[in-house]
């Protein structure tokens, strides 16, 4: 049995197909390409029960991943992040079946590790030597790590305002790091030009077809953890949108293989009020988004003014009776505090935005009483110290704690 | 079948036993107490194959954990951290079978989550309301999180020099945080006095018997991941030493249940040259350590001048033909860089100390050619940005990357 049932690449816009074993970036028509598998053959050879017996990493779904040889699997043990119930926050907001998948528990502390693990593995397999990418920080940290593990060079370009710790991640991994006095779109332009000039492998979001294959494992895991079923609503913080597209792709693959039934979750794309191009497009029932001017939000990971895969995100929303919603930064920070104080979870602002959105949608009635709601927390709050104020008192070593001021 | 086979508490110094279902801290003789289980009954009811089929969290070993009721299990999905092979670093240092268990992939980013999950669960079950503790930072972050999830109050006292991010963790969780102008021993004195004065539940290292029960799950996981066997050498960064004691305790329990054979790993306790009381004691074949004056190291988590459980650490070293070793800060930081550049792992300095120690022990010949060596990385480097310099160039948005300066 082959390790992977990858069969070809396909353009979701014009239908053109490409050989998956040759390096391709975008389709000739300008669209991203998607990896396709011989799902019928995969379904004959592997079952949900088989994968459930394997080690708890995203590679348990290897037949549905694009890496053909064991030697090219570049792994730090990533995957099978927990889904935790949010009983107290749920009760507070009349969300009786509220859950959070905690992607903070991955190498580099964010869901970006999934795309990097699979993307770097496949880049290595295809013979790439230098990877170049724009990033809002977290993808850079993740790709720098996996590139180092693979023995590849990484060139990372991030906005000056990206989370500081992501600079340290890139630096410690020995990657070439540049800051740009601008947004991720500016970083993308710089990276794209350099890639063309030097012949580097451009791993910008959706400019190569394998990052999304890593991200889609969130969907496989979700279904497996849900007992090979799905929740009613999936709430996803949306910047480039690859996670959402990936989860949807995974569900469609699992349906084709008979691993899950016909039910799909309603997808919610959450954006920050300061950068909400997908929300604006969804409100107009548009097929694509328009560049958002003067984008700014504390949830820096979703500060993406225009996403290459916007049409795929919108398609997923329309096809699942889903929706897009924007939440202001103040509500994002309040939700972050609430998840910590009520649930013991220090999430990134992007993940907190998912809770803020769910609260709105419940109030509106869009989320109904019995709905099972899954929030995706895309990363750990440890990477965002500036979102939390801490001014503790200093006690001399020979002093006393102010016991009387503290009550149980 | 009961959920837990916890039977009683026992003093490892004088043998006195205590009722496990009443709050106890130290033995009357001053020693820490250890939790004991009816291992014969547990072995009849549960097998390695049974636990391997359960969800990948530390609670898969619930029969050997002290929590009696499902409702008191306070969990964020922690456990089953990966063991990753270090092929390139291993080759470089003639350690052909070198592995690292990555405890950075836990809630709050360190192995402290294990002790906090189990310790807080049991504190809740026993009726505690306010938990107070000294910490070098990471345990504070972890216990603050689990206390918040449990609905308990946490009072945390840490040195001013503790990693900054751990202040933010305590603050966001709503715990009461105090800094002390001194070391963890000073924080411990303040916490102990406050506990006595206010009747709070003192959860200082080994002052209650359940934190170690969480930590010991590293040992259960290690054995399970090793195919119900053990490596030849386990290298452990040692401050309070509870992790090492816990792993050793787990191995003894598994031997008593017949889950693993008679082979034990040789334990290595690694300390920083700037704070090495266990190493000094081991060199003198002493049973206990002496307070280390003017303790200071970049590996702040192991900056513990005198550990309450020192005699248990030393016992584990003597009984397994193990040893203690000190490594200077410069070697710790070099090992941290090496693990990043060679292996894609951004580890904390404590974890890096384990690699620095293994390199020495191989050079000395204490680690032999064919030895399987497992390093414990106790936390993520994301919590220690100051250990890595990052001064990237800034490029204007309309500029160009210096392509010619970068070579694959």
């Amino acid at each position: 049995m082959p390790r992977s049932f990858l069969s070809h690449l396909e353009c979701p816009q014009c239908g053109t197909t490409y050989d998956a074993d040759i390096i391709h970036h975008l389709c000739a028509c300008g669209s991203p390409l998607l990896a396709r598998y011989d799902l019928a053959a995969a379904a004959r050879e592997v079952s949900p029960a088989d994968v459930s017996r394997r080690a708890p990493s995203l590679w348990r779904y290897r037949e549905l991943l694009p890496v053909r040889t064991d030697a090219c699997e570049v792994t730090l043990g990533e995957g099978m992040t927990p889904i935790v119930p949010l009983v107290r926050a749920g009760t507070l907001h009349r969300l009786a079946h509220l859950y959070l998948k905690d992607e903070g528990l991955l190498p580099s502390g964010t869901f970006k590790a999934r795309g990097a693990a699979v993307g770097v593995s496949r880049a290595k397999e295809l013979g790439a030597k230098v990877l170049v990418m724009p990033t809002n920080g977290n993808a850079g940290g993740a790709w720098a790590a996996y590139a180092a593990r693979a023995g590849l060079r990484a060139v990372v370009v991030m906005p000056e305002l990206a989370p500081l710790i992501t600079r340290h991640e890139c630096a410690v991994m020995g990657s070439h790091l540049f800051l740009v006095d601008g947004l991720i779109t500016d970083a993308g332009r710089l990276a794209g030009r350099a890639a063309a000039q030097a012949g580097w492998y451009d791993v910008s979001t959706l400019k190569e077809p394998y990052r999304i294959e890593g991200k889609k494992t969130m969907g496989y895991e979700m279904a497996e953890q849900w007992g090979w079923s799905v929740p009613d609503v999936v709430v996803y913080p949306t910047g480039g949108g690859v996670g959402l597209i990936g989860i949807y792709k995974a569900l469609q693959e699992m349906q084709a293989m008979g691993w899950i039934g016909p039910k799909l979750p309603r997808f919610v794309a959450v954006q920050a009020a300061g950068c909400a191009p997908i929300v604006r497009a969804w409100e107009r029932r548009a097929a694509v988004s328009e560049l958002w001017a003067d984008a700014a939000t504390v949830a820096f990971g979703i500060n993406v003014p225009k996403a290459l895969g916007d049409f795929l995100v919108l398609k997923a929303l329309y096809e699942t009776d889903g929706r897009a919603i924007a939440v202001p930064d103040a509500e994002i920070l309040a939700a972050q505090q609430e998840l910590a104080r009520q649930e013991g979870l220090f999430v990134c602002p992007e993940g907190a935005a998912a809770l803020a959105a769910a609260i709105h949608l419940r109030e509106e009635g869009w989320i109904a009483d019995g709905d099972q709601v899954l929030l995706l927390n895309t990363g750990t709050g440890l990477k965002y110290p500036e979102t939390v104020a801490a001014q503790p008192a200093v006690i001399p070593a020979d002093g006393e704690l102010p016991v009387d001021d503290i009550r149980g």
Side-chain angles (χ1 to χ4, degrees), chain A residues 334-371:
Chain A
Q336 188 194 33
Q337 289 276 337
E338 185 175 321
L339 282 169
R341 285 168 190 246
Q342 301 282 336
E343 302 290 351
L345 287 159
F346 186 14
V347 304
C348 62
E350 298 82 357
L355 174 61
I359 294 170
H360 272 292
L361 295 174
R362 180 70 187 103
E363 282 169 359
E364 282 182 24
W366 190 87
I367 292 176
D369 201 14
D371 279 347

Side-chain angles (χ1 to χ4, degrees), chain A residues 100-115:
Chain A
L100 179 144
K101 187 164 173 65
D102 191 1
E103 294 282 293
L105 305 189
L106 287 167
S108 79
T110 78
F111 78 124
K112 300 288 186 181
R114 295 182 187 272

